[in-house]
Amino acid sequence: NPVGLFEHALFESAVIELPDQFSLFLISDGILEILQQKTLQEKNKFLLTAVNSMDTSINDIRNEIRLDKRDEIPDDITFLNIKKI
């Protein structure tokens, strides 16, 4: 369930041990509406490939999907990148 959308949504809390170096990339679902790939599976594969490097930045993703070249975006897109290096 989307966070904050449903009053009675249930979520699990978990704790995991992270490696000394890691990168966590979160992107809202609005990005799916502007990707050129046809299927959800193809879009997910594209995104995983795009963020599969510790060197990847939010600007790299924005450039890859040409976000700055668009006049209009049908939905909001949020990026969050957390790195421990």
Side-chain angles (χ1 to χ4, degrees), residues 28-52:
S28 65
D29 66 339
I31 198 169
L32 299 174
E33 296 188 33
I34 65 167
L35 293 178
Q36 300 300 312
Q37 293 75 13
K38 299 220 182 287
T39 67
L40 181 58
Q41 184 178 11
E42 290 171 339
K43 292 176 183 192
N44 283 336
K45 184 177 178 181
F46 168 80
L47 289 172
L48 286 173
T49 301
V51 301
N52 201 21

Side-chain angles (χ1 to χ4, degrees), residues 11-81:
F11 299 95
E12 288 185 32
S13 180
V15 176
I16 60 171
E17 189 170 324
L18 297 170
D20 290 338
Q21 295 185 346
F22 73 92
S23 179
L24 174 65
F25 228 113
L26 302 174
I27 306 173
S28 65
D29 66 339
I31 198 169
L32 299 174
E33 296 188 33
I34 65 167
L35 293 178
Q36 300 300 312
Q37 293 75 13
K38 299 220 182 287
T39 67
L40 181 58
Q41 184 178 11
E42 290 171 339
K43 292 176 183 192
N44 283 336
K45 184 177 178 181
F46 168 80
L47 289 172
L48 286 173
T49 301
V51 301
N52 201 21
S53 167
M54 286 288 289
D55 297 331
T56 301
S57 71
I58 291 173
N59 281 335
D60 293 337
I61 302 300
R62 290 181 67 233
N63 291 338
E64 181 74 25
I65 62 174
R66 304 177 59 96
L67 195 56
D68 58 336
K69 306 290 186 211
R70 297 179 177 275
D71 293 331
E72 195 173 306
I73 300 171
D75 194 2
D76 64 290
I77 300 171
T78 303
F79 296 93
L80 173 65
N81 188 12

